[in-house]
Amino acid sequence: MNSPSISFIIPALNEANNIIETINAIKSAMNTMNYEIIVVDNGSIDETVKIARKLGVKTIIKLLATISELRNFGAAESKSEILCFIDSDISLAKNWEEQLELFLNNQKFHPLFITGSRCSVQTGNTSFIEKNWFLLLQKSKSQYINSGHMITNRETFDRISGFDPALKTGEDHDFCKRAEKLDIPIIENK
């Protein structure tokens, strides 16, 4: 079997209510590209690991790790040049693969990149904090892609030295700031 052309890396902790939809959305969106899905679980006490394994997903348990460490560990275990970091409650659009291929075809002259989209919450049953946090992110002009849906290549990931393992949150913002210092393009795809 050929190496996967894209690795989806999903950190998880007690995500049994979300992980099925996330994994199925990836499977539904991927038509022609060879891919792998890696769930890096931080010690779930619910059915997250069992569900992921039942769906045929490589699942690794990494206890007492920061979200940065989970993402880095998944990247180290992956086999692809393209890395897609998504959260376990993210759903990909059905045309996601087409959009990624279009982006990658346009990146031929830019070997380093970070892309993806800023995540938002569905309207309706959202908390005041969720609604206002994501609203601020959407209005921000900051060069920043949130790691709920961040795509990069291994060369970029290695050049930046991955996510800072000491960070318990904000690892995506830090990752993008370090990329900016290296003049690595950050391209938001909406």
Side-chain angles (χ1 to χ4, degrees), residues 6-11 22 26 36-38 40 67-78 80-92 96 100 113-119 145-158 160-164 171-172 175-176:
I6 184 165
S7 296
F8 291 91
I9 299 159
I10 308 171
T22 300
I26 292 169
E36 68 177 344
I37 303 171
I38 301 171
V40 186
I67 188 108
S68 297
E69 290 173 309
L70 296 175
R71 294 186 198 286
N72 289 342
F73 193 76
E77 293 291 312
S78 69
S80 175
E81 281 302 308
I82 303 296
L83 306 173
C84 179
F85 298 94
I86 67 171
D87 286 344
S88 53
D89 58 355
I90 298 295
S91 288
L92 302 179
W96 187 90
L100 176 64
F113 67 88
I114 297 171
T115 192
S117 59
R118 293 185 184 169
C119 298
I145 302 293
N146 113 358
S147 56
H149 179 242
M150 178 188 283
I151 305 161
T152 191
N153 61 8
R154 190 168 303 280
E155 185 178 353
T156 301
F157 185 82
D158 291 345
I160 298 170
S161 299
F163 294 99
D164 182 343
E171 76 286 353
D172 42 14
F175 187 86
C176 290

Side-chain angles (χ1 to χ4, degrees), residues 91-103:
S91 288
L92 302 179
K94 292 203 183 285
N95 70 341
W96 187 90
E97 179 191 21
E98 294 168 23
Q99 295 300 313
L100 176 64
E101 286 183 306
L102 181 64
F103 173 82

Side-chain angles (χ1 to χ4, degrees), residues 137-190:
L137 283 177
Q138 289 170 344
K139 291 180 178 179
S140 170
K141 302 269 189 233
S142 173
Q143 287 288 62
Y144 154 75
I145 302 293
N146 113 358
S147 56
H149 179 242
M150 178 188 283
I151 305 161
T152 191
N153 61 8
R154 190 168 303 280
E155 185 178 353
T156 301
F157 185 82
D158 291 345
R159 180 87 50 100
I160 298 170
S161 299
F163 294 99
D164 182 343
L167 295 176
K168 293 181 180 179
T169 188
E171 76 286 353
D172 42 14
H173 186 265
D174 173 72
F175 187 86
C176 290
K177 286 299 177 190
R178 288 186 285 128
E180 278 185 316
K181 289 179 183 176
L182 297 172
D183 293 323
I184 295 171
I186 300 170
I187 305 145
E188 182 180 5
N189 285 304
K190 296 181 180 194

Side-chain angles (χ1 to χ4, degrees), residues 9-20:
I9 299 159
I10 308 171
L13 178 63
N14 297 324
E15 292 291 347
N17 291 334
N18 299 313
I19 200 77
I20 294 172

